[in-house]
Amino acid sequence: MEGRTDVSNPHLTRRALLGSSLALAVPLPKQGLPASGAEVPSLWREFTRTPFTHPQIPYIGRAGARRHPRRPLVLDVRRYGAVADGTTDSAPAINRAIAAAGRAGGGTVLIPPGTFRIDDVIRVGHSNVVVRGAGSDRTKLYATRNLTELIGVYGSRYGGDKSSWSWAGGLIWLAPTARWDSLVAAIRAKAWPFEGWTGNKRDEWRQLTAVEPARQGAWTVTVADASQLKPGELVLLRLADDTAHTLLEHMAGGGPGPEAYYWDDKTKLLSYVPYEWPVRVAHVRGRKVTLERPLPLDIRPEWNPQFTTHIPELTGSGVEGLTLEAVETPQQPHLLDKGYNGVVLQCAYDCWLDDVTVRHVDNGFGLVAASACTLRGTTVAGRGSHHPYFCREGSHDNLIEDFTIEERTVPAPANTQLHGINVEGLSSYNVWSRGDMRMGTFDSHRGLPFANVRTDITVNNDGRHGGDASAGPLFGARFTHWNIRVTNGRAGLMKIDQLAPYSATVGLNTVTEFDQIDVPDFTGDLHARLELYGTTDVVRPRNLYEAQREL
């Protein structure tokens, strides 16, 4: 794969890639640019020659959801008893309408303008169901209770007195019904679960076929037996680690630094393995299987690579055009959140949120074992939150664009934490694009996230990252920060060329270290790249995700 375009993808050719590169190199209009004009970094020219195998920049041009056809069924929640008076509990009526759409095979559940009080979780558990308000400035769900009250105390599977509502669950919760039921049952039984694609104990799967060796970036793989694979089907690519932890080393870019790193005592990180990557099958020809996305990693025999089953996914569902406002309460001490949480997608694939605001929440928008989902036009507002956005438990290929984190309306209470746009737990190939962060930080929360991109974002960098030592490194390979504007000049987790292995920082204004200062997890040469440092909005293409989509 080195040095050539993967010809197994019929839509991408070397000619098209180079043509786009040349087009982007044409001088750009001067309006709105600094006096020095626009500059195309060498990294971009390199990337167009090897888009699926570049050592520092990941291919994220396929991140996000496909739009699914609208179902003709439309259900108005008022027909089921919802009342926009701000005092009547409308959660049962809204959930009845959602359940009816699910039983019908999908449909749109309309919530008209007004304020609807909800005293329970709003649950989207069937595929092809869209909950649609009249706009985030017109439809409001007013949530009066938290997840501790509604479901129960949720402890951490890693011990201690932490509340898992600090990083899980939402008052609007999109997850397959059976998965949601099993999670709630485990929480109430105090059998703290794993939250991903293979069940509470990671044992709800079976092998479909073994996969032969292949290189990162390949679109087509060879399998031992393709008889159980069908076009359009969602499968898991499952990669286990070996005793030498060569899979984790590969995620970190390989070489002397990762090889010298001591992995054995990183118990939380080791619990995240096997790496599970959901992907749809595009074509099957004999034993050749083409995927809808290129491989995120190499496939090597020592990792026992296989396609497997998983719990049934939620797909084609979304929430649009509404505000979820929780009753305003003080933010709780760090890791003791009660669960006034916003909207979470869990075990969801090809789902979306569009024009959704959350206010006065402990945690805003969550991706938990969610992949190929899009959050567009989302806003976190109000009294301040712990995680405005969280992306964890092996979430991949998601797109968060046109997002806003507003400045908090009240001072932060003592002993609370503000993170920002969080990613952790082997999550990969996620994109944060066109953001306005008036507070928070780029929270790489340990757990070896890799190949994630933050691009075209303005940030008042006043948050702190989290993650305990047992979760291992802050960054894996191919992390990219591209066109980032730091308004307060604070460096923490913005300039990553001395922290992240085989990664890139391109188009960042001058920043200075203070407060939380990190040291690299890996020794020696990190093989990281830094270009156009000390500039603002000079780099072209301006938005790395959009430029890759154009390719």
Side-chain angles (χ1 to χ4, degrees):
M1 287 297 302
E2 291 295 335
R4 65 180 178 86
T5 302
D6 184 358
V7 297
S8 65
N9 178 10
H11 305 293
L12 286 165
T13 65
R14 175 182 287 266
R15 183 183 300 273
L17 289 167
L18 292 177
S20 296
S21 175
L22 293 171
L24 285 163
V26 171
L28 298 168
K30 296 293 185 182
Q31 183 177 359
L33 291 177
S36 59
E39 297 187 48
V40 179
S42 59
L43 271 165
W44 175 251
R45 300 184 193 280
E46 292 173 14
F47 176 82
T48 61
R49 292 192 291 270
T50 59
F52 310 122
T53 59
H54 193 277
Q56 280 90 14
I57 298 177
Y59 174 72
I60 40 80
R62 287 290 182 95
R66 305 178 299 179
R67 285 294 175 146
H68 290 239
R70 298 292 188 184
R71 302 291 171 130
L73 179 66
V74 177
L75 302 175
D76 190 316
V77 297
R78 292 173 296 188
R79 289 177 47 202
Y80 293 82
V83 182
D85 60 4
T87 58
T88 302
D89 177 17
S90 292
I94 295 170
N95 282 328
R96 284 195 294 270
I98 292 170
R103 288 192 300 270
T108 300
V109 174
L110 292 181
I111 307 180
T115 297
F116 295 82
R117 172 173 167 161
I118 57 169
D119 296 345
D120 200 355
V121 178
I122 301 302
R123 303 183 301 278
V124 179
H126 292 88
S127 293
N128 304 310
V129 173
V130 178
V131 177
R132 182 187 296 165
S136 60
D137 58 344
R138 300 182 67 201
T139 296
K140 180 193 293 185
L141 303 183
Y142 180 64
T144 62
R145 303 176 72 191
N146 58 57
L147 293 167
T148 301
E149 296 173 287
L150 293 170
I151 295 175
V153 172
Y154 188 2
S156 169
R157 66 181 185 244
Y158 301 105
D161 60 355
K162 302 171 184 176
S163 167
S164 285
W165 297 129
S166 301
W167 56 76
L171 293 169
I172 301 177
W173 200 329
L174 291 83
T177 295
R179 189 72 185 101
W180 193 86
D181 290 344
S182 71
L183 287 165
V184 169
I187 294 165
R188 289 176 174 163
K190 301 190 184 308
W192 314 130
F194 285 91
E195 299 154 280
W197 287 100
T198 50
N200 294 342
K201 297 181 180 180
R202 301 194 77 174
D203 58 357
E204 296 180 40
W205 62 276
R206 62 179 176 81
Q207 185 186 57
L208 294 170
T209 182
V211 184
E212 295 187 4
R215 295 294 303 276
Q216 172 209 322
W219 295 72
T220 297
V221 297
T222 303
V223 300
D225 178 4
S227 62
Q228 297 188 76
L229 303 179
K230 305 291 187 295
E233 181 181 46
L234 186 71
V235 298
L236 283 188
L237 173 65
R238 182 180 173 92
L239 300 178
D241 206 0
D242 57 13
T243 56
H245 303 301
T246 60
L247 176 62
L248 295 175
E249 291 174 5
H250 178 52
M251 292 175 178
E259 289 172 6
Y261 186 80
Y262 190 71
W263 302 95
D264 284 337
D265 63 349
K266 308 305 186 292
T267 53
K268 184 180 284 190
L269 174 62
L270 297 179
S271 77
Y272 299 151
V273 182
Y275 176 78
E276 295 172 337
W277 182 62
V279 65
R280 287 202 192 280
V281 174
H283 304 289
V284 179
R285 293 184 178 90
R287 293 196 298 124
K288 300 288 186 181
V289 179
T290 301
L291 308 173
E292 70 171 351
R293 289 177 169 83
L295 288 178
L297 294 164
D298 287 355
I299 293 178
R300 302 179 187 173
E302 56 265 35
W303 302 331
N304 189 25
Q306 52 192 308
F307 286 135
T308 76
T309 63
H310 51 83
I311 58 96
E313 71 272 16
L314 183 76
T315 189
S317 293
V319 177
E320 303 172 351
L322 58 81
T323 289
L324 172 67
E325 180 175 316
V327 59
E328 187 171 358
T329 60
Q331 186 178 346
Q332 294 297 298
H334 190 221
L335 299 177
L336 297 178
D337 297 350
K338 294 183 179 298
Y340 287 108
N341 294 349
V343 188
V344 164
L345 296 100
Q346 185 163 4
C347 297
Y349 194 93
D350 268 344
C351 293
W352 66 88
L353 309 177
D354 198 346
D355 182 28
V356 177
T357 294
V358 296
R359 183 174 290 116
H360 303 321
V361 293
D362 294 336
N363 301 280
F365 295 93
L367 295 158
V368 181
S371 292
C373 295
T374 294
L375 281 61
R376 180 178 292 112
T378 55
T379 299
V380 181
R383 50 88 156 155
S385 55
H386 180 190
H387 295 100
Y389 291 82
F390 56 97
C391 178
R392 51 176 293 271
E393 202 80 3
S395 291
H396 314 293
D397 303 301
N398 297 294
L399 170 64
I400 302 95
E401 66 178 355
D402 298 312
F403 66 95
T404 301
I405 302 174
E406 293 187 357
E407 188 175 355
R408 65 191 314 138
T409 54
V410 297
N415 302 315
T416 61
Q417 281 280 7
L418 165 65
H419 295 311
I421 52 175
N422 155 277
V423 61
E424 59 182 283
L426 303 185
S427 296
S428 63
Y429 293 86
N430 301 290
V431 182
W432 290 262
S433 169
R434 292 199 307 265
D436 179 8
M437 296 176 59
R438 300 167 199 172
M439 64 177 191
T441 194
F442 290 177
D443 176 33
S444 293
H445 212 82
R446 300 199 176 273
L448 198 65
F450 66 94
N452 297 286
V453 168
R454 289 128 172 186
T455 184
D456 195 9
I457 298 171
T458 301
V459 52
N460 179 43
N461 186 25
D462 63 353
R464 296 171 66 88
H465 76 76
D468 60 49
S470 69
L474 279 168
F475 300 97
R478 298 185 303 287
F479 240 91
T480 302
H481 290 174
W482 187 285
N483 193 21
I484 305 300
R485 302 167 291 275
V486 184
T487 60
N488 62 346
R490 180 177 180 266
L493 295 192
M494 302 289 127
K495 182 175 178 288
I496 58 173
D497 59 296
Q498 298 178 32
L499 288 175
Y502 288 94
S503 292
T505 305
V506 182
L508 171 71
N509 59 284
T510 303
V511 291
T512 304
E513 293 283 7
F514 65 94
D515 192 19
Q516 189 176 31
I517 299 174
D518 292 291
V519 297
D521 293 289
F522 303 108
T523 58
D525 187 354
L526 296 180
H527 301 281
R529 303 277 293 275
L530 178 67
E531 284 198 67
L532 298 181
Y533 177 59
T535 67
T536 301
D537 271 334
V538 168
V539 60
R540 292 296 183 273
R542 190 174 194 269
N543 185 294
L544 183 61
Y545 166 73
E546 292 174 359
Q548 290 197 22
R549 290 285 293 180
E550 289 297 317
L551 295 183

